[in-house]
Amino acid sequence: MTKRQEQGGEGAPRRAFPVRLGLIVGGLVLAGLVVEQGLRVVPAGNVGVVFSALGGVKSPPLQEGVHFVTPFVDRVNLYSTRTQEVTLSHARGEGDEGAIRARSKEGLDITADVTVRYAINPGRAAELHQKLGPAYERVLIAPEIRSKVRDAIGQVNAADLISTQRQAVEVRVSEALKQEFARNNILLDAVLLRELRIPESVAKAIEQKQTAEQQVAVERNRLQQANISAQRAVVEAEGAAKASVARARGEAQALSLRGRALRENPQLIQLTVAEKLSPGINTVMLPSDGNFLLDLKTLQGQGVGATKPGD
């Protein structure tokens, strides 16, 4: 064996070692890449909808936490499950859309500022992803709010809208949106009619009409009070008349009873006469069967005459 052969035999293992090391490092890198592509974290307040390049959208969605999906094949789309809101207002802020323009029942222009709170149905996020995708607010939420608010305002007069029917319109919009959202896997939380604006000239006319109606109501109340007072006086007069009739009837009945008593008991006549004459005239009623009155003066005169001498 020559010297070069000996040197070459010694160098072969040295060249094999870097190749093996490269394979190990490459394997580790590939494994790390696979792990990185396969591990997915779903943050709090979210669900993850998995889309597979081989099988499409997977259900059910991934809940909060760490999950392993098929690397390079599955993609996770995050959807917030927290309550969200969309505002349609004339004072447009960041992310807000413009106010809703509608017409009342009589055709007057009405401008409405509305805020709607909602959340997606976590268990149906996969269906939401299939039907609408991440742009569901622009595609569904805002257009449906505008449509339902216009429909509700169109059923009410402007005067009623800003006075007595505001809450009824809010309820009508809520019921319509709840049904439409439910068909698209969205849960309605609340509908808030923040402001309803009508033309200034119409507002003044409505205010004047309401003022006149209030004055009429005040006058009607006064008239009712006067009628009540008059009715009370009539009732009191009728009561007094009925009381007089009752007293007269009682007195007549008393006289009738007294007359019948006198007819049945003649002695009461003498008693009554005695009561009327007393105490000016001295009389006495003797309790004898004859029932007569004795004049004391006559008895005294007869007694004196009987005792005169010579008689």
Side-chain angles (χ1 to χ4, degrees), residues 240 242-252:
K242 290 180 180 179
S244 299
V245 172
R247 285 195 299 270
R249 185 179 294 112
E251 292 175 356

Side-chain angles (χ1 to χ4, degrees), residues 2-272:
T2 63
K3 187 175 181 180
R4 288 183 177 179
Q5 292 176 342
E6 293 177 356
Q7 291 177 351
E10 292 177 356
R14 293 177 182 178
R15 287 195 298 270
F17 179 74
V19 172
R20 189 181 306 153
L21 180 60
L23 292 174
I24 293 174
V25 172
L28 292 175
V29 171
L30 181 60
L33 184 61
V34 169
V35 171
E36 181 185 1
Q37 291 294 319
L39 284 181
R40 289 292 181 266
V41 177
V42 178
N46 289 266
V47 293
V49 178
V50 179
F51 174 79
S52 172
L54 301 177
V57 176
K58 294 182 179 180
S59 185
L62 304 179
Q63 301 301 314
E64 301 172 359
V66 179
H67 302 272
F68 188 81
V69 298
T70 305
F72 306 104
V73 176
D74 292 345
R75 185 174 71 251
V76 178
N77 302 275
L78 297 178
Y79 283 84
S80 174
T81 58
R82 293 171 177 165
T83 299
Q84 305 175 67
E85 73 174 32
V86 58
T87 297
L88 290 81
S89 171
H90 72 289
R92 186 181 304 181
E94 183 178 356
D96 294 346
E97 299 196 23
I100 301 173
R101 296 180 62 86
R103 289 186 178 275
S104 64
K105 188 175 182 179
E106 66 267 55
L108 297 176
D109 288 331
I110 306 295
T111 304
D113 292 352
V114 182
T115 295
V116 174
R117 292 199 298 262
Y118 67 94
I120 70 169
N121 187 342
R124 310 296 293 273
E127 296 179 21
L128 175 66
H129 182 71
Q130 285 180 313
K131 293 178 62 176
L132 301 174
Y136 60 89
E137 180 177 310
R138 176 178 57 82
V139 174
L140 175 75
I141 302 296
E144 286 297 333
I145 293 174
R146 291 184 182 277
S147 175
K148 299 303 184 286
V149 170
R150 289 192 181 108
D151 291 344
I153 290 177
Q155 301 178 36
V156 183
N157 292 324
D160 296 333
L161 182 63
I162 63 175
S163 57
T164 60
Q165 294 298 314
R166 181 189 182 99
Q167 186 175 3
V169 170
E170 195 171 89
V171 171
R172 191 176 293 118
V173 173
S174 297
E175 293 176 350
L177 283 179
K178 184 179 296 183
Q179 295 177 3
E180 188 63 32
F181 283 6
R183 285 195 290 266
N184 292 276
N185 309 301
I186 295 174
L187 306 175
L188 179 66
D189 181 61
V191 174
L192 306 175
L193 289 179
R194 299 169 55 186
E195 187 176 358
L196 295 170
R197 294 181 299 280
I198 63 177
E200 185 176 355
S201 58
V202 177
K204 289 182 178 179
I206 293 174
E207 183 178 357
Q208 293 174 356
K209 178 182 177 182
Q210 291 176 342
T211 301
E213 290 177 349
Q214 291 175 356
Q215 292 176 351
V216 170
V218 171
E219 293 300 327
R220 185 182 297 113
N221 183 58
R222 291 177 179 174
L223 180 60
Q224 290 177 350
Q225 294 296 329
N227 290 335
I228 292 173
S229 299
Q231 291 175 2
R232 184 183 299 113
V234 170
V235 171
E236 291 176 352
E238 290 178 350
K242 290 180 180 179
S244 299
V245 172
R247 285 195 299 270
R249 185 179 294 112
E251 292 175 356
Q253 291 177 351
L255 291 174
S256 176
L257 293 173
R258 187 175 181 85
R260 185 173 64 183
L262 292 174
R263 287 193 301 271
E264 295 177 353
N265 300 283
Q267 300 89 342
L268 293 177
I269 298 175
Q270 298 177 359
L271 175 61
T272 301

